[in-house]
Amino acid sequence: MKEAINSIHLAYDDHGAGLPVIFLHAFPLNRGMWAQELNSLLDDGNYRAIALDWRGFGESETTAGRVSMDQLAQDLAGLMDHLGIQEAVLCGLSMGGYVAFAFYRAFPERVRGLILADTQPYADTEEAKQRRETVAKLAESDGTTAIANLQIPNLLSETGRNQKPEVVRAVEHMINTATPQGIAAAARGMALRADSTDLLEHIACPVLVIAGEQDAITPPGMAQEYTSKIPGGQFIMIQQAGHLSNLEQPDSFIYILRSFLATLR
C-alpha cells in the first residue's frame, strides 16, 4: 500500500488486528527485511503488524537533500495518524533504532514498548560522519551495487555470508531497490542525528535490546552497556548473528520478539 504522508508517498504493509507493532528497517534495506516477523505475528492473531519503507527506500518516494532521523520520525507519526493508531510498539533495527529514539523523544506517550535491535543511542563521531559522507558520495557516483559491495561485509557475519547465500542475495536485492539519492540522503541524515543517551534513564515504557553476537557495527558489549542505563531494560544476545540479526537467525529473533510482546498485551 502507498499513502501520501507529509507530502510524500510512503509504502507500507499493514496486516492483522490487535496490539500495533511497527517495524522500522535498517539502512540501506527496506521493509522486506521484516517479512518473516510480519507473517509470524499475523499467524499469532493478536497483533496488528506494520512495516514501512523510509523515503528513498523500497517503494517509497525519494526526497532530495539530507533526510534527518527527526523527519523519518515525523513520517512514522503521520502514518500512525493515517492508520488511526495512537500508541504502538516500535521495533527498529540499526537506522530503524535511530528513528525509534527520535520518535520517543518527540512522542513518548505514543510508544507502548521499544525493541532496539543492533542499534545504539550514541551520536556519530567525526570519523563516523566522514564514513557516512563517503557512503553518500559513493552512492551518488557509483550507484547501489557499489553500496551493496561495501555494506554487506559489515551487515552480515562471516558465517552468514559463507553459509547463507540466500540471505546475501536478499540483502543485495533490497539494497538495489533503494535509490542512490535515498541512500545518500539517509547517510547524511544519520551523520547529524542527535545523541540519545540523555533519553535512556527517562524511558518509561518496556524496552528490549537485542544484539547479534558477531555484530561489528554495534557490538553486544556496547548494547549491554547502554541497556543498563534504561530502567527495567532487558538485553538479549543472538548467537551466530551479525548486524542484521533478524535475517541471519530469524527463528531466534522471532521467538525473542514474541516472548517480549506477550508481556505487553
Side-chain angles (χ1 to χ4, degrees), residues 62-143:
T62 301
T63 299
R66 185 176 67 245
V67 175
S68 69
M69 300 303 98
D70 292 333
Q71 177 62 70
L72 298 183
Q74 291 294 330
D75 291 345
L76 173 57
L79 179 62
M80 290 173 65
D81 290 343
H82 171 72
L83 297 177
I85 296 171
Q86 175 55 35
E87 182 184 58
V89 179
L90 304 183
C91 177
L93 193 148
S94 193
M95 184 176 77
Y98 302 159
V99 180
F101 280 121
F103 187 91
Y104 190 88
R105 185 184 294 278
F107 308 103
E109 73 285 354
R110 303 192 72 172
V111 182
R112 176 69 182 87
L114 282 172
I115 302 165
L116 303 167
D118 301 282
T119 192
Q120 57 179 306
Y122 312 108
D124 273 359
T125 63
E126 288 305 314
E127 181 182 358
K129 290 178 182 179
Q130 291 173 10
R131 289 197 297 268
R132 303 277 192 205
E133 184 59 26
T134 297
V135 168
K137 289 179 177 176
L138 181 66
E140 292 170 333
S141 64
D142 292 11

Coordinates of all heavy atoms in Angstrom, one line a residue, residues 62-143:
T62 N 11.4 9.3 -3.2 CA 12.7 9.8 -2.8 C 12.6 11.3 -2.5 O 11.9 12.0 -3.2 CB 13.8 9.6 -3.8 OG1 13.9 8.2 -4.1 CG2 15.1 10.1 -3.4
T63 N 13.3 11.7 -1.5 CA 13.4 13.2 -1.2 C 14.8 13.7 -1.5 O 15.8 13.0 -1.2 CB 13.2 13.4 0.3 OG1 11.9 13.0 0.7 CG2 13.3 14.9 0.7
A64 N 14.9 14.8 -2.1 CA 16.2 15.4 -2.4 C 16.8 16.0 -1.1 O 16.2 16.4 -0.2 CB 16.1 16.5 -3.4
G65 N 18.2 15.9 -1.1 CA 18.9 16.5 0.1 C 18.9 15.5 1.2 O 18.6 14.4 1.1
R66 N 19.4 16.1 2.4 CA 19.5 15.2 3.6 C 18.2 14.9 4.2 O 17.3 15.8 4.2 CB 20.4 16.0 4.6 CG 20.7 15.2 5.8 CD 21.7 15.9 6.7 NE 21.1 17.1 7.3 CZ 21.5 18.4 7.0 NH1 22.5 18.6 6.2 NH2 20.9 19.4 7.6
V67 N 18.0 13.7 4.7 CA 16.8 13.3 5.4 C 17.2 13.0 6.9 O 17.9 12.0 7.1 CB 16.1 12.1 4.8 CG1 14.9 11.7 5.6 CG2 15.6 12.5 3.4
S68 N 16.7 13.8 7.8 CA 17.1 13.6 9.2 C 16.3 12.4 9.8 O 15.2 12.1 9.4 CB 16.8 14.9 10.0 OG 15.5 15.1 10.1
M69 N 16.8 11.9 10.9 CA 16.0 10.9 11.7 C 14.8 11.5 12.3 O 13.7 10.8 12.4 CB 16.9 10.3 12.8 CG 18.2 9.7 12.3 SD 18.0 8.3 11.1 CE 18.3 9.1 9.5
D70 N 14.8 12.8 12.6 CA 13.6 13.5 13.1 C 12.5 13.6 12.0 O 11.3 13.4 12.3 CB 13.9 14.9 13.5 CG 14.8 14.9 14.8 OD1 14.7 14.0 15.6 OD2 15.6 15.9 15.0
Q71 N 12.9 13.8 10.8 CA 12.0 13.8 9.7 C 11.3 12.4 9.5 O 10.1 12.2 9.3 CB 12.6 14.2 8.3 CG 11.7 14.1 7.1 CD 10.5 15.1 7.2 OE1 10.7 16.3 7.2 NE2 9.3 14.6 7.4
L72 N 12.1 11.3 9.6 CA 11.6 10.0 9.5 C 10.6 9.7 10.7 O 9.6 9.0 10.5 CB 12.7 9.0 9.4 CG 13.7 9.1 8.2 CD1 14.7 8.0 8.2 CD2 12.9 9.1 6.9
A73 N 11.0 10.2 11.8 CA 10.1 10.0 13.0 C 8.7 10.7 12.7 O 7.7 10.2 13.1 CB 10.7 10.6 14.3
Q74 N 8.8 11.9 12.1 CA 7.5 12.6 11.8 C 6.7 11.8 10.7 O 5.5 11.8 10.8 CB 7.9 14.0 11.3 CG 8.4 15.0 12.3 CD 7.4 15.3 13.4 OE1 6.2 15.3 13.2 NE2 7.9 15.6 14.6
D75 N 7.5 11.2 9.8 CA 6.8 10.3 8.8 C 6.1 9.2 9.5 O 4.9 8.8 9.1 CB 7.8 9.8 7.8 CG 8.3 10.9 6.9 OD1 7.7 12.0 6.8 OD2 9.3 10.6 6.2
L76 N 6.7 8.6 10.5 CA 6.1 7.5 11.2 C 4.9 8.0 12.0 O 3.8 7.3 12.0 CB 7.2 6.9 12.2 CG 6.7 5.9 13.2 CD1 6.0 4.7 12.5 CD2 7.8 5.4 14.1
A77 N 5.0 9.1 12.6 CA 3.8 9.7 13.3 C 2.7 9.9 12.3 O 1.5 9.7 12.6 CB 4.2 11.0 14.0
G78 N 3.0 10.4 11.1 CA 2.0 10.7 10.1 C 1.3 9.4 9.7 O 0.1 9.4 9.5
L79 N 2.1 8.4 9.5 CA 1.5 7.1 9.1 C 0.6 6.5 10.2 O -0.5 6.0 10.0 CB 2.6 6.1 8.8 CG 2.1 4.7 8.4 CD1 1.3 4.7 7.1 CD2 3.3 3.7 8.2
M80 N 1.0 6.7 11.5 CA 0.2 6.2 12.6 C -1.1 7.0 12.6 O -2.2 6.4 12.8 CB 1.0 6.4 13.9 CG 2.1 5.4 14.1 SD 3.1 5.7 15.6 CE 1.9 5.4 16.9
D81 N -1.0 8.3 12.4 CA -2.3 9.1 12.4 C -3.2 8.6 11.3 O -4.4 8.4 11.5 CB -1.9 10.6 12.1 CG -1.2 11.2 13.3 OD1 -1.3 10.6 14.4 OD2 -0.6 12.3 13.1
H82 N -2.6 8.3 10.1 CA -3.4 7.9 8.9 C -4.1 6.5 9.2 O -5.2 6.3 8.8 CB -2.5 7.7 7.7 CG -3.2 7.1 6.6 ND1 -4.2 7.7 5.8 CD2 -3.0 5.8 6.0 CE1 -4.6 6.8 4.9 NE2 -3.9 5.7 5.0
L83 N -3.4 5.7 10.0 CA -3.9 4.3 10.3 C -4.8 4.3 11.5 O -5.3 3.3 11.9 CB -2.7 3.4 10.4 CG -1.9 3.1 9.2 CD1 -0.7 2.2 9.5 CD2 -2.7 2.6 8.0
G84 N -4.9 5.5 12.2 CA -5.7 5.5 13.4 C -5.1 4.9 14.6 O -5.8 4.4 15.5
I85 N -3.8 4.9 14.7 CA -3.0 4.3 15.7 C -2.5 5.4 16.7 O -1.7 6.2 16.2 CB -1.9 3.4 15.2 CG1 -2.4 2.3 14.4 CG2 -1.0 2.9 16.3 CD1 -1.4 1.5 13.6
Q86 N -2.9 5.4 17.9 CA -2.4 6.3 18.9 C -1.1 5.9 19.5 O -0.2 6.7 19.7 CB -3.5 6.6 19.9 CG -3.0 7.5 21.1 CD -2.5 8.9 20.6 OE1 -3.0 9.4 19.6 NE2 -1.5 9.4 21.2
E87 N -1.0 4.6 19.8 CA 0.1 4.0 20.5 C 0.5 2.7 19.9 O -0.3 1.9 19.5 CB -0.3 3.8 22.0 CG 0.8 3.3 22.9 CD 0.3 3.0 24.3 OE1 -0.6 2.2 24.5 OE2 0.8 3.6 25.3
A88 N 1.8 2.5 19.8 CA 2.3 1.2 19.2 C 3.6 0.8 19.9 O 4.3 1.6 20.5 CB 2.5 1.4 17.7
V89 N 4.0 -0.5 19.7 CA 5.3 -1.0 20.0 C 6.1 -0.7 18.7 O 5.7 -1.0 17.6 CB 5.3 -2.5 20.3 CG1 6.7 -3.0 20.6 CG2 4.3 -2.8 21.4
L90 N 7.3 -0.2 18.9 CA 8.3 0.1 17.8 C 9.4 -0.9 17.9 O 10.0 -1.1 18.9 CB 8.8 1.5 17.9 CG 7.8 2.6 17.9 CD1 8.6 4.0 17.9 CD2 6.9 2.6 16.7
C91 N 9.7 -1.6 16.8 CA 10.8 -2.5 16.6 C 11.7 -2.0 15.5 O 11.4 -2.1 14.4 CB 10.3 -3.9 16.3 SG 11.7 -5.1 16.1
G92 N 12.9 -1.4 15.9 CA 13.8 -0.8 15.0 C 15.1 -1.4 15.0 O 15.7 -1.7 16.1
L93 N 15.7 -1.7 13.8 CA 17.0 -2.3 13.7 C 17.9 -1.3 13.1 O 17.6 -0.8 12.0 CB 16.9 -3.6 13.0 CG 18.2 -4.5 13.0 CD1 17.8 -6.0 12.9 CD2 19.2 -4.2 11.9
S94 N 19.1 -1.1 13.7 CA 20.1 -0.2 13.1 C 19.5 1.2 12.9 O 19.1 1.9 13.9 CB 20.7 -0.7 11.9 OG 21.9 -0.1 11.5
M95 N 19.4 1.7 11.7 CA 18.8 3.0 11.4 C 17.4 3.1 11.9 O 17.0 4.2 12.4 CB 18.9 3.4 9.9 CG 18.4 4.8 9.7 SD 18.5 5.3 7.9 CE 17.1 4.4 7.2
G96 N 16.7 2.0 11.9 CA 15.3 2.0 12.4 C 15.3 2.3 13.9 O 14.4 2.9 14.4
G97 N 16.4 1.8 14.6 CA 16.5 2.2 16.0 C 16.8 3.7 16.2 O 16.3 4.3 17.2
Y98 N 17.6 4.2 15.3 CA 17.8 5.7 15.4 C 16.5 6.4 15.3 O 16.3 7.4 16.0 CB 18.7 6.2 14.3 CG 20.1 5.5 14.3 CD1 20.8 5.6 13.1 CD2 20.7 4.9 15.4 CE1 22.1 5.0 13.0 CE2 21.9 4.3 15.3 CZ 22.6 4.3 14.1 OH 23.9 3.7 14.0
V99 N 15.6 6.0 14.4 CA 14.3 6.6 14.2 C 13.5 6.4 15.5 O 12.7 7.3 15.9 CB 13.6 6.1 13.0 CG1 12.3 6.8 12.8 CG2 14.5 6.4 11.7
A100 N 13.6 5.2 16.1 CA 12.8 4.9 17.3 C 13.2 5.9 18.4 O 12.3 6.4 19.1 CB 13.0 3.5 17.7
F101 N 14.5 6.1 18.6 CA 14.9 7.1 19.6 C 14.4 8.5 19.3 O 13.9 9.2 20.2 CB 16.4 7.1 19.7 CG 17.1 6.0 20.4 CD1 18.0 5.1 19.8 CD2 16.8 5.8 21.8 CE1 18.6 4.1 20.6 CE2 17.4 4.8 22.5 CZ 18.3 3.9 21.9
A102 N 14.4 8.9 18.0 CA 13.9 10.2 17.6 C 12.4 10.3 17.9 O 11.9 11.3 18.3 CB 14.3 10.5 16.2
F103 N 11.7 9.2 17.6 CA 10.3 9.2 17.8 C 9.9 9.3 19.3 O 9.0 10.0 19.7 CB 9.7 7.9 17.2 CG 8.2 7.9 17.2 CD1 7.4 8.4 16.1 CD2 7.5 7.4 18.3 CE1 6.1 8.4 16.1 CE2 6.1 7.4 18.3 CZ 5.4 7.9 17.2
Y104 N 10.7 8.5 20.1 CA 10.4 8.5 21.5 C 10.7 9.9 22.1 O 9.9 10.4 23.0 CB 11.2 7.5 22.3 CG 10.8 7.3 23.7 CD1 9.8 6.4 24.1 CD2 11.3 8.1 24.7 CE1 9.3 6.3 25.4 CE2 10.9 8.0 26.0 CZ 9.9 7.1 26.3 OH 9.4 7.0 27.6
R105 N 11.7 10.6 21.6 CA 12.0 11.9 22.1 C 10.8 12.9 21.8 O 10.4 13.7 22.7 CB 13.2 12.5 21.4 CG 13.7 13.9 22.0 CD 14.9 14.4 21.2 NE 16.1 13.5 21.5 CZ 16.9 13.6 22.5 NH1 16.6 14.5 23.5 NH2 17.9 12.8 22.6
A106 N 10.2 12.7 20.6 CA 9.1 13.6 20.2 C 7.8 13.2 20.7 O 6.9 14.0 21.1 CB 9.1 13.7 18.7
F107 N 7.5 11.9 20.8 CA 6.2 11.3 21.1 C 6.2 10.2 22.2 O 5.8 9.1 21.9 CB 5.5 10.8 19.9 CG 5.5 11.8 18.7 CD1 6.4 11.6 17.7 CD2 4.6 12.8 18.7 CE1 6.4 12.5 16.6 CE2 4.6 13.7 17.6 CZ 5.5 13.6 16.5
P108 N 6.8 10.4 23.4 CA 6.9 9.3 24.3 C 5.6 8.7 24.7 O 5.5 7.5 24.9 CB 7.5 10.0 25.5 CG 7.2 11.4 25.4 CD 7.2 11.7 23.9
E109 N 4.5 9.5 24.6 CA 3.2 8.9 25.0 C 2.6 8.0 24.0 O 1.6 7.3 24.2 CB 2.2 10.1 25.2 CG 1.7 10.8 24.0 CD 2.7 11.7 23.4 OE1 3.8 11.9 23.9 OE2 2.4 12.3 22.3
R110 N 3.2 7.9 22.8 CA 2.7 7.1 21.7 C 3.5 5.7 21.6 O 3.2 5.0 20.7 CB 2.8 7.8 20.4 CG 2.0 9.1 20.4 CD 1.8 9.7 19.0 NE 0.8 8.9 18.2 CZ 0.4 9.3 17.0 NH1 0.8 10.4 16.5 NH2 -0.5 8.5 16.4
V111 N 4.4 5.5 22.5 CA 5.2 4.3 22.5 C 4.8 3.3 23.6 O 5.0 3.6 24.8 CB 6.7 4.6 22.6 CG1 7.6 3.4 22.4 CG2 7.1 5.6 21.5
R112 N 4.3 2.2 23.2 CA 3.9 1.2 24.2 C 5.0 0.3 24.6 O 5.1 -0.2 25.8 CB 2.8 0.3 23.5 CG 2.3 -0.9 24.4 CD 1.5 -0.4 25.6 NE 1.1 -1.5 26.4 CZ 1.9 -2.0 27.4 NH1 3.1 -1.5 27.7 NH2 1.5 -3.0 28.2
G113 N 6.0 0.2 23.8 CA 7.2 -0.6 24.1 C 8.3 -0.3 23.0 O 7.9 0.1 21.9
L114 N 9.5 -0.6 23.3 CA 10.6 -0.4 22.3 C 11.4 -1.7 22.2 O 11.8 -2.3 23.2 CB 11.5 0.7 22.8 CG 11.1 2.1 22.6 CD1 12.1 3.1 23.3 CD2 11.1 2.5 21.1
I115 N 11.6 -2.1 21.0 CA 12.6 -3.2 20.7 C 13.7 -2.6 19.9 O 13.5 -2.2 18.7 CB 11.9 -4.4 20.0 CG1 10.7 -4.9 20.8 CG2 12.9 -5.5 19.7 CD1 9.8 -5.8 20.0
L116 N 14.9 -2.5 20.4 CA 16.0 -1.9 19.8 C 17.0 -2.9 19.4 O 17.7 -3.5 20.3 CB 16.6 -0.8 20.8 CG 15.7 0.2 21.3 CD1 16.3 1.0 22.5 CD2 15.3 1.2 20.2
A117 N 17.1 -3.2 18.1 CA 17.9 -4.3 17.7 C 19.2 -3.8 16.9 O 19.0 -3.0 16.0 CB 17.1 -5.3 16.8
D118 N 20.3 -4.2 17.4 CA 21.6 -3.9 16.6 C 21.6 -2.4 16.3 O 21.9 -2.0 15.2 CB 21.7 -4.8 15.4 CG 21.7 -6.2 15.7 OD1 22.7 -6.8 16.2 OD2 20.6 -6.9 15.6
T119 N 21.4 -1.6 17.3 CA 21.4 -0.2 17.2 C 22.1 0.4 18.4 O 22.5 -0.3 19.3 CB 20.0 0.4 17.0 OG1 20.0 1.7 16.5 CG2 19.1 0.2 18.2
Q120 N 22.2 1.8 18.4 CA 22.8 2.5 19.6 C 22.2 3.9 19.7 O 21.7 4.4 18.8 CB 24.3 2.5 19.3 CG 24.7 3.2 18.0 CD 26.2 3.3 17.8 OE1 26.9 3.8 18.6 NE2 26.6 2.8 16.6
P121 N 22.3 4.4 20.9 CA 21.8 5.8 21.2 C 22.8 6.9 20.9 O 22.5 8.0 20.9 CB 21.5 5.7 22.7 CG 22.5 4.8 23.2 CD 22.7 3.8 22.2
Y122 N 24.1 6.5 20.6 CA 25.2 7.5 20.6 C 25.2 8.2 19.2 O 24.9 7.6 18.2 CB 26.5 6.8 20.8 CG 26.5 5.9 22.0 CD1 26.5 4.5 21.8 CD2 26.4 6.4 23.3 CE1 26.5 3.7 22.9 CE2 26.4 5.6 24.4 CZ 26.4 4.2 24.2 OH 26.4 3.4 25.3
A123 N 25.6 9.5 19.3 CA 25.8 10.2 18.0 C 27.0 9.8 17.3 O 27.9 9.1 17.9 CB 25.8 11.7 18.3
D124 N 27.1 10.0 16.0 CA 28.3 9.7 15.3 C 29.5 10.5 15.7 O 29.4 11.7 16.0 CB 28.1 9.9 13.8 CG 27.5 8.8 13.1 OD1 27.2 7.8 13.7 OD2 27.2 8.9 11.8
T125 N 30.7 9.8 15.8 CA 31.9 10.5 16.0 C 32.3 11.2 14.7 O 31.7 11.0 13.6 CB 33.1 9.5 16.3 OG1 33.2 8.6 15.2 CG2 32.7 8.7 17.5
E126 N 33.3 12.1 14.7 CA 33.7 12.8 13.5 C 34.2 11.8 12.4 O 33.9 11.9 11.2 CB 34.8 13.8 13.8 CG 34.4 15.0 14.5 CD 33.2 15.7 13.8 OE1 33.3 15.9 12.6 OE2 32.2 16.1 14.5
E127 N 34.8 10.7 12.9 CA 35.3 9.7 11.9 C 34.1 9.0 11.3 O 34.1 8.7 10.1 CB 36.2 8.7 12.7 CG 36.7 7.6 11.8 CD 37.5 6.6 12.5 OE1 37.7 6.7 13.8 OE2 38.0 5.6 11.9
A128 N 33.1 8.7 12.1 CA 31.9 8.0 11.6 C 31.2 8.9 10.6 O 30.6 8.5 9.6 CB 31.0 7.6 12.7
K129 N 31.1 10.2 10.9 CA 30.5 11.2 10.0 C 31.2 11.2 8.6 O 30.5 11.3 7.6 CB 30.5 12.6 10.6 CG 29.5 12.7 11.8 CD 29.6 14.1 12.4 CE 28.7 14.3 13.6 NZ 28.8 15.6 14.2
Q130 N 32.5 11.1 8.7 CA 33.3 11.1 7.4 C 32.9 9.8 6.6 O 32.8 9.9 5.4 CB 34.8 11.2 7.7 CG 35.2 12.5 8.3 CD 36.6 12.6 8.7 OE1 37.4 11.6 8.5 NE2 37.0 13.6 9.4
R131 N 32.8 8.7 7.3 CA 32.4 7.4 6.6 C 31.0 7.6 6.0 O 30.8 7.0 4.9 CB 32.5 6.3 7.6 CG 33.9 5.9 8.0 CD 33.9 4.5 8.6 NE 33.1 4.4 9.8 CZ 33.6 4.6 11.1 NH1 34.9 4.9 11.2 NH2 32.8 4.5 12.1
R132 N 30.1 8.2 6.7 CA 28.8 8.4 6.1 C 28.8 9.2 4.8 O 28.2 8.9 3.9 CB 27.9 9.2 7.1 CG 27.7 8.5 8.5 CD 26.7 7.5 8.5 NE 26.4 7.1 9.9 CZ 25.9 6.0 10.3 NH1 25.6 5.0 9.4 NH2 25.7 5.7 11.6
E133 N 29.7 10.2 4.8 CA 29.8 11.1 3.6 C 30.4 10.3 2.5 O 30.0 10.4 1.3 CB 30.6 12.3 4.0 CG 30.7 13.3 2.8 CD 29.4 13.8 2.3 OE1 28.4 13.8 3.1 OE2 29.3 14.2 1.1
T134 N 31.4 9.4 2.8 CA 32.0 8.6 1.8 C 30.9 7.6 1.2 O 30.9 7.5 0.0 CB 33.1 7.7 2.4 OG1 34.1 8.6 2.9 CG2 33.7 6.7 1.4
V135 N 30.0 7.1 2.0 CA 28.9 6.2 1.5 C 28.0 7.1 0.6 O 27.6 6.6 -0.4 CB 28.2 5.6 2.7 CG1 26.9 5.0 2.2 CG2 29.1 4.6 3.4
A136 N 27.7 8.3 1.1 CA 26.8 9.1 0.3 C 27.3 9.4 -1.1 O 26.6 9.3 -2.1 CB 26.5 10.4 1.1
K137 N 28.6 9.8 -1.1 CA 29.2 10.1 -2.4 C 29.4 8.9 -3.3 O 29.2 9.0 -4.5 CB 30.6 10.8 -2.1 CG 30.5 12.2 -1.5 CD 31.8 12.8 -1.3 CE 31.7 14.2 -0.8 NZ 33.0 14.8 -0.4
L138 N 29.6 7.8 -2.7 CA 29.8 6.5 -3.5 C 28.4 6.2 -4.1 O 28.4 5.8 -5.2 CB 30.2 5.4 -2.6 CG 30.4 4.0 -3.3 CD1 31.6 4.1 -4.3 CD2 30.7 2.9 -2.2
A139 N 27.3 6.3 -3.3 CA 26.0 6.1 -3.9 C 25.7 7.0 -5.0 O 25.2 6.5 -6.1 CB 24.9 6.2 -2.8
E140 N 26.0 8.2 -4.9 CA 25.8 9.2 -6.0 C 26.6 9.0 -7.2 O 26.2 9.2 -8.3 CB 26.0 10.6 -5.4 CG 25.0 11.0 -4.4 CD 25.4 12.3 -3.6 OE1 26.6 12.7 -3.6 OE2 24.4 13.0 -3.2
S141 N 27.8 8.5 -7.0 CA 28.7 8.3 -8.1 C 28.7 7.0 -8.8 O 28.7 6.8 -10.0 CB 30.2 8.6 -7.7 OG 30.6 7.7 -6.7
D142 N 28.5 5.9 -8.0 CA 28.6 4.5 -8.5 C 27.3 3.7 -8.3 O 27.3 2.6 -8.8 CB 29.8 3.8 -7.8 CG 31.1 4.4 -8.1 OD1 31.2 5.4 -8.8 OD2 32.1 3.7 -7.8
G143 N 26.3 4.2 -7.6 CA 25.1 3.5 -7.6 C 25.0 2.5 -6.5 O 25.9 2.3 -5.6

